[in-house]
Amino acid sequence: MTTTRPGSKGVVPSGGRAGRRALGTAGWLGAAGFATALATLSTLTPHRVWGWCAAAGYLAAALAGGLPTRRRRALSVGLALAGAVLVPLTALLATGRAQSEALVIERSAATLLHDGTPYLTDPRDVTDYNPYLPGMTLFGMPARLFGDGSAPARLAGDPRLWCAAALVACLVAAHAVLRRGAAPAGSDRPLGAGHAIAVLAASPLVALPLCVSGVDLPLTGLLALALALAARHRPVAAGLALAAACSLKWTALPAVAVAVALLAAGPGRRAAVRCAAVWAGGTLALILPALLVAPGPLVEQVLLFPTGRGAVPTPATSPMPGRLLADLGPAGWGAAVLLLVCGGTAVAASLLVRPPRSLVAAADRLATGLCLAFLLAPAGRFGYFALPLLLAVWARLATGRPLGGPAAEPQAPAAAAGPRPPEPTPHHRHPARAPGPAVSAGRRDRDRRDQRGHPHPPVHRMTPPAPAGSPRKAAT
């Protein structure tokens, strides 16, 4: 059954809205199930606080999706935001509870201001290690600048708020870049920037890390902005965004190859080389000072500790293939690293053989590479997968692609396909009316006489009727 919207040019299936409502309700119910499971199984207090609050908010959002009101979508998102972000974040900020990552960022800022480096020279405990690159220290600076000990100062300087602000700013900028350019290939009805960001913030992919730590949010925003800039053929700005992302965590490195391949498939090699050059120069400028001041602590805490080779064991012990291999000893650790290199090589080869040509395709390729890296790394956590999933979901919300749809590539221009062959003339068509250059009747008769042994039927031409009273030739 179909209905026509007033003022529209086409016919819209009447079941489309019902299907979208059912999909939204199912999504909120799934999020409620995840939050409930986390609150029940987790031993971390911030996770349990978030889980119970978010489960109530998601259930309310699912119920609001079935209300007979025109504002049910906005009401559902608002209830989900209240339950998954506003209430748990306020409770955690008021009690000063957070994961150790937020405390590490704050301490790295204090160490930078005191010693000139964000890394402790003699770390002895897990919380003494700073596994982030120097750029992450920026989000701990407000706590040092506002840190007079009062409650308002602690709230204003909390790194989670600044990490969330960086994510929102980057996503708003990415939507603005996409809106100024041409419409994405195959896009239908992209969500507005405000609604898309609200949906993402209410989802567990953003709400959980926002409330408990926040360290992956600025990285995700910068990667989304870099891909949007590369998709709109702005290599210099994309290189700067990639440099900023690579100054936060080393997991941003696969995005450089994807953005360069996207540019090479679009404007060409010059744009790709320009982006790579800007990225290399910007990353070197942001990391080199810390590397020169304390090279040993940086290598120990940023490279060795996350891969399980530091003096203190890493707490990232999720039972994934790479971690299980690393637990077998030095040989298993080497096998995990070898598999990690092979996976990265396979993704790089796919970029050369079939480079992405759209934002969604680039986000999917980056998500694939990151998932392989997290699975095969000698140490990792299941929470790391929120980054690739968030990038894939954001790209579809920003371009109007369905969340379950494939990453279609833009079609090549018709001129590049070559000239079309001439269509054969049907047998029932009269020879005199066949397409082709105009040829006189006399020349056609001469050509037929020259082809001996291949008689042709006479061409019947319509002659005008003879005028009345004129003599007619008698038929024999």
Side-chain angles (χ1 to χ4, degrees), residues 172-184 225 229 232 234:
V172 169
H175 277 267
V177 169
L178 295 174
R179 189 169 59 248
R180 290 195 189 106
L225 178 59
L229 291 168
R232 288 297 176 264
R234 297 175 61 178

Side-chain angles (χ1 to χ4, degrees), residues 98-118:
Q99 285 187 195
S100 59
E101 291 87 342
L103 304 178
V104 167
I105 295 176
E106 290 187 13
R107 195 203 59 243
S108 66
T111 306
L112 177 63
L113 295 176
H114 186 268
D115 300 331
T117 174

